[in-house]
């Protein structure tokens, strides 16, 4: 339904006059078309004349063109509006003109050995063709181009001209009318043109989003960035100008259960790893990160092509995605939205040697194996295969390096060989059952499977240090095409176990190949190299590493040995130099190493927590952040220089649950999972007290210091509040235990210190899930007795989630309490009376934590902001609280749950801890972008530029968001254009 039908416009006298003019002129549509054609001719002639007169008039060619476009736009907007006002009784007849443009496909970007095969998979696109490409600029315009329309508010003519020539709105549609399909233009023309020469509030216009390449401005290449980029420009881009309220700038930590890949090695070391729902490309030499963002869930698996150009990532959960990225530019070239309609996600994936095909295994109870021709930007797999439950969960998948039609996967108990008959898109598999009777020996659980170097065998590593060797029986291909019978029938390819090789005692955790070697990594941190006969060639066992989780070798072949080389000798009698490529090692303790083969140099590149991260705290006046993990590690970073400073690892069983700096920044309070409380020196992490405090039997969830650092309070999961204070003994400040009280019946949600209004004495309050707000009397408390001052009930039905001191925007002093019903309440800080109840941020789950953004100057005190987190998002809100839902902005930060929030001392950054995803994300705060998105008042439209990418068709659009500042208008303009 058109916009005119959905929202009837106000009829004016001008509208009536326009209708009468069309009734008197039945050939009105033909006149409009002639007018548009004459306008095009005039523009062409004017362009030629301007070239001859440029020297005399002193105008540049760009100014002449811009003026001609402006004049032509005004004429066409008026003519088109007259046609709109007529009511659309007659359809405008236009002629489609095909634009001849060469088709640029991903074929040119793939290895040369696959060029002939790729030419068959990329048919030429003509009008009405169904083939789709992953790059929008590679596809000529066809009558089947899909058009979408956005119903938006109407800007003025001057504001429409503000964008560059490559931006097209509906008032410029007249000059391009002959480029649009006839049926689509005739159907929608009444909804596309604005009123002639008028500027009114309440008018609506539909801006065109067309999946075609718009003619770029002079000097700009028509080719896409992906197709024209032949070298790595990823770290040459400047991403400093952010247009979003929250922009991720750094990721601390990585998912050590997934591999690390060696991406670049020529002049700089570049790694690829996963952190929560983001793939991170990390340049070790420059200490820079580039983030591949787009997944709504935590990344479950990813892979990279042999040439290190294409990266495929997949997640697991609702609305799961598979995204293929260009590692040179970090652009997503294709997105698979419906890879798992059940929403289970992907468990394993692999990309073929020539990067033409992508294979995936779902994470459903009935696993599905799919092969995708991703270079064709298709939405459906080329073939699928459902695996029986008795095969177990397949968690490893690999292509045959020499034949992209063969694959192998394995679970802990079953190895499966696949053969893809591409002609009929049939996937045949062979999965012989292997028992202890097969070899009369214990085999063990499978870890990984690969294709042998001799091309006729498959190797499966086990957790018993053994290799199962499978023979591949490949019958000759059938002339009449692939058979459509069960894989157990005779004459079909299959695998048979032929040998069990006991390589070592340690469990083999990694199995791969490089050059002419078979490589294993084991549970004791040893890395061993074997030749094709499984005779050992060399090993590294003296590094004392943890269990090997991944091995990734450099793309660059090893340098041949010279007199200056220092390669280690191999295991042969001759002792020849063992020449191997440099490689990256990922271990189970979340450490990443780089091994330089020439000289056997081992370097640590990353050392991150290997367990959940729930505790983070920012220094009150320095750019430092302390990160605590359940593995007992506290690590301090300089978050401006992105530099690790120092750390401390506590004994086993001491997991860090909470961290807080005191107001002076000299001390760091740490609460642990087994109830211990440490007070540490903030710069050395050494104990500030002779012995830690042990007055709790369970997790210490909250730590808070008073404003003068004379008191420290803690709360644990047993609903108990404990207070510690400073005493001067023998001329030294000493912390001692004061008292503790089990004051709540349910979990404590917030623990706050404040200041009495009539004095500078500290006050302590706690808020529990039992809906009780309790204030304690610190002055009347003594050893083993914590005095309660008053108790107030905050809610009747919903339970509170968090509490903060509301900034002094008004004379009255408030406590801000958020509850599970998406409400926020303002309580008088003295009487505890509820003064106001308002709607809070609504982003799928209630607010879990709130912090007020700090300010540096007195001018900033007039405008305050708060930062909040809920189950999986971090957001900003403009104060004062008034219930307006448009004064907030939020973004997914940790899909599996946010565990903590911290703000930098200057209010520039927010930090979120991801709990089980073992990561901390740093978010840059852009208050101007937040204000621009929601504020009203003024007379102009302010443009903000951004990029929208990864659509269903693999399209990419640039977006301008125009802020409406006219009172009462409050609507956003979205102008899309293909880059």
């Amino acid at each position: 339904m058109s916009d005119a039908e959905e929202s009837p416009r106000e009829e004016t006298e001008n509208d009536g006059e326009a209708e009468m003019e069309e009734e008197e002129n039945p050939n009105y549509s033909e006149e409009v078309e002639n007018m548009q054609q004459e306008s095009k001719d005039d523009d062409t002639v004017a362009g030629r004349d301007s070239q001859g007169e440029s020297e005399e008039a002193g105008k540049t060619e760009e100014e002449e063109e811009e003026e001609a476009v402006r004049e032509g736009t005004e004429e066409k907007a008026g003519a088109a509006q007259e046609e709109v006002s007529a009511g659309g009784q007659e359809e405008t007849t236009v002629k489609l003109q095909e634009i001849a443009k060469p088709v640029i496909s991903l074929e040119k970007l793939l290895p040369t050995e696959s060029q002939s095969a790729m030419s068959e998979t990329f048919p030429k696109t003509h009008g009405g063709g169904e083939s789709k490409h992953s790059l929008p600029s590679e596809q000529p315009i066809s009558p089947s181009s899909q058009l979408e329309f956005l119903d938006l508010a109407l800007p003025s003519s001057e504001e429409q001209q503000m964008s560059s020539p490559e931006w097209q709105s509906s008032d410029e549609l007249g000059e391009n009318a002959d480029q649009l399909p006839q049926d689509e233009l005739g159907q929608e023309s009444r909804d596309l043109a604005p009123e002639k020469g008028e500027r009114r509030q309440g008018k609506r216009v539909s801006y065109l989003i067309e999946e075609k390449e718009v003619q770029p401005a002079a000097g700009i290449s028509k080719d896409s960035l992906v197709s024209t980029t032949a070298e790595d420009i990823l770290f040459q881009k400047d991403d400093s100008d952010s247009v979003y309220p929250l922009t991720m700038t750094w990721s601390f930590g990585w998912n050590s259960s997934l591999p690390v890949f060696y991406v670049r090695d020529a002049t700089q070391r570049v790694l690829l790893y996963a952190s929560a729902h983001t793939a991170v490309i990390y340049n070790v030499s420059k200490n820079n990160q580039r983030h591949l963002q787009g997944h709504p869930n935590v990344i479950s698996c990813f892979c990279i092509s042999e040439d290190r150009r294409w990266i495929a990532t997949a997640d697991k959960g609702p609305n799961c995605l598979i995204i293929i990225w260009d590692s040179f530019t970090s652009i997503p070239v294709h997105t698979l939205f419906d890879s798992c309609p059940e929403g289970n996600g992907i468990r394993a994936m692999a990309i073929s040697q020539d990067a033409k095909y992508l294979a995936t295994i779902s994470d459903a109870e009935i696993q599905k194996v799919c092969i995708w021709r991703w270079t064709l930007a298709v939405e459906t797999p080329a073939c699928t295969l459902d695996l029986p439950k008795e095969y177990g969960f397949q968690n490893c998948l690999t292509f045959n390096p020499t034949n992209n039609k063969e694959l192998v996967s394995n679970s802990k108990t079953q190895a499966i060989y696949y053969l893809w008959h591409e002609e009929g898109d049939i996937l045949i598999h062979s999965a012989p059952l292997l028992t202890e009777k097969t070899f009369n020996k214990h085999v063990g659980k499978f870890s990984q499977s690969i294709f042998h170097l001799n091309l006729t065998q498959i190797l499966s590593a086990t957790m018993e240090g053994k290799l199962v060797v499978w023979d591949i029986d490949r019958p000759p291909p059938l002339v009449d095409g692939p058979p459509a019978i069960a894989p157990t029938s005779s004459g079909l390819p299959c695998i048979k176990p032929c040998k069990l090789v006991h390589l070592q005692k340690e469990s083999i955790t990694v199995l791969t190949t490089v050059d002419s070697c078979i490589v294993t990594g084991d549970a004791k941190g040893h890395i061993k190299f074997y030749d094709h006969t499984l005779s050992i060639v060399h090993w590294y066992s003296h590094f004392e590493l943890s269990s090997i989780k991944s091995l990734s070798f450099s793309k660059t072949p090893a340098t041949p040995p010279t007199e200056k080389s220092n390669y280690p000798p191999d295991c042969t009698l001759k002792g020849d130099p063992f020449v191997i490529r440099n490689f990256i090692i990922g271990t189970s303790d979340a450490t990443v190493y780089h091994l330089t083969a020439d000289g056997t140099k081992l370097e640590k590149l990353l050392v991150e927590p290997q367990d959940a991260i729930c505790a983070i705290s920012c220094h009150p006046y320095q750019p430092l952040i302390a990160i605590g993990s359940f593995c007992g590690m506290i690590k301090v970073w300089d978050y401006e220089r992105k530099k690790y400073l120092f750390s401390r690892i506590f004994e086993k069983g001491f997991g860090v649950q909470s961290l807080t700096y005191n107001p002076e920044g000299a001390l760091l309070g740490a609460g642990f999972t087994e109830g211990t409380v440490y007070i540490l020196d903030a710069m050395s992490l050494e104990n500030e007290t002779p012995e830690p405090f042990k007055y709790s039997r369970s997790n210490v969830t909250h730590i808070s210091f008073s404003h003068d650092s004379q008191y420290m309070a803690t709360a644990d999961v047993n609903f108990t509040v404990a207070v510690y204070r400073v005493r001067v003994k023998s001329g030294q400040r000493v912390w001692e235990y004061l008292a503790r009280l089990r004051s709540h019946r349910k979990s404590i949600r917030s623990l706050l210190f404040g200041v009495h209004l009539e004095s500078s004495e500290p006050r302590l309050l706690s808020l529990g899930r039992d809906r009780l707000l309790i204030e304690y009397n610190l002055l009347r408390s003594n050893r083993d007795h914590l005095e309660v001052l008053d108790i107030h009930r905050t809610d009747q039905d919903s339970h509170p989630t968090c509490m903060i001191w509301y900034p002094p925007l008004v004379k009255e002093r408030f406590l801000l309490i958020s509850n599970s019903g998406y409400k926020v309440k303002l309580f008088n800080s003295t009487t505890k009376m509820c003064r106001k109840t308002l709607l809070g941020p609504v982003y799928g789950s209630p607010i879990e934590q709130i912090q007020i953004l700090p300010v540096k100057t007195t001018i900033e005190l007039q405008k305050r902001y708060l930062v909040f987190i809920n189950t999986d998002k971090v957001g900003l809100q403009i104060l004062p609280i008034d219930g307006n839902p448009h004064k907030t902005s939020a973004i997914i930060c940790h899909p599996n749950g946010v565990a903590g929030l911290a703000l930098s001392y200057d209010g520039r950054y927010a930090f979120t801890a991801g709990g089980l995803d073992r990561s901390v994300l740093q978010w840059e705060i852009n208050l101007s972008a937040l204000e621009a998105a929601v504020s009203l008042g003024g007379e102009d439209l302010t443009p903000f530029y951004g990029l929208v990418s990864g659509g269903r068709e693999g399209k990419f659009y640039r977006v301008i968001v125009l802020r409406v500042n006219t009172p009462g208008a409050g609507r956003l303009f979205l102008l899309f254009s293909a880059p």
Side-chain angles (χ1 to χ4, degrees), residues 587-604:
T587 61
S588 60
D589 60 353
T591 306
V592 179
Y593 301 88
H594 179 270
L595 181 67
T596 304
D598 189 357
T600 315
K601 301 175 184 176
L602 187 70
E603 304 171 64
K604 279 186 181 181

Side-chain angles (χ1 to χ4, degrees), residues 621-640:
Y621 56 87
Q622 292 185 12
L624 305 178
I625 181 172
I627 300 173
S629 170
F630 280 7
C631 66
M633 174 189 288
I634 297 179
K635 194 172 184 179
V636 179
W637 287 79
D638 183 330
Y639 55 75
E640 286 188 349

Side-chain angles (χ1 to χ4, degrees), residues 702-719:
H702 297 78
I703 293 183
S704 181
F705 285 93
S706 62
H707 72 286
D708 55 3
S709 296
Q710 294 298 307
Y711 290 91
M712 182 185 74
T714 65
D716 58 34
V717 297
N718 287 334
F719 329 134

Side-chain angles (χ1 to χ4, degrees), residues 167 244 944-948 957-961 974-977:
W167 301 90
Y244 307 107
F944 297 89
Y945 298 85
L947 181 66
V948 174
Y957 302 101
R958 193 175 299 277
V959 58
I960 296 181
V961 181
L974 300 178
L975 304 182
F976 292 81
S977 172

Side-chain angles (χ1 to χ4, degrees), residues 428-483:
I428 299 174
H429 74 285
S430 172
L433 182 62
L434 188 66
T435 64
E436 294 185 3
K437 296 182 179 179
T438 305
F439 300 108
N440 291 324
K441 292 181 180 179
H442 181 64
V443 177
K445 303 294 183 182
F446 292 131
S447 57
Q448 280 188 288
S449 298
I450 61 171
F451 285 88
H452 197 287
L453 298 172
N454 61 15
L455 309 180
T456 61
Q457 292 179 327
I458 290 175
L459 303 178
S460 295
T462 74
M463 302 306 291
E464 298 294 328
K466 302 173 183 177
L467 279 183
V468 178
V469 182
W470 309 82
D471 279 336
I472 305 176
D473 184 10
R474 301 184 181 96
L478 300 178
V479 179
D480 297 333

Side-chain angles (χ1 to χ4, degrees), residues 4 50 52 103 110-111 116 150 263 303 310 339 390 440 483 495 519 595 639 646 649 661 680 766-767 794 801 807 934:
S50 64
V103 178
L110 297 176
S116 59
L150 288 183
V263 182
C303 59
W310 311 107
S339 58
E390 54 267 22
N440 291 324
I495 57 174
V519 191
L595 181 67
Y639 55 75
F646 46 86
I649 300 178
Y661 282 99
L680 308 173
S766 65
L767 178 69
T794 61
T801 57
V934 300

Side-chain angles (χ1 to χ4, degrees), residues 916-937:
L916 294 177
D917 66 18
R918 291 165 280 182
S919 67
V920 174
L921 303 183
Q922 179 178 346
W923 303 88
E924 184 179 7
I925 297 174
N926 188 341
L927 297 178
S928 299
L930 177 64
E931 291 281 358
V934 300
S935 66
L936 300 176

Side-chain angles (χ1 to χ4, degrees), residues 135-148:
L135 302 180
S137 61
E138 301 169 2
Q139 186 170 342
I141 302 173
S142 66
S144 61
S145 298
Q146 301 294 322
L147 301 179
E148 299 178 5

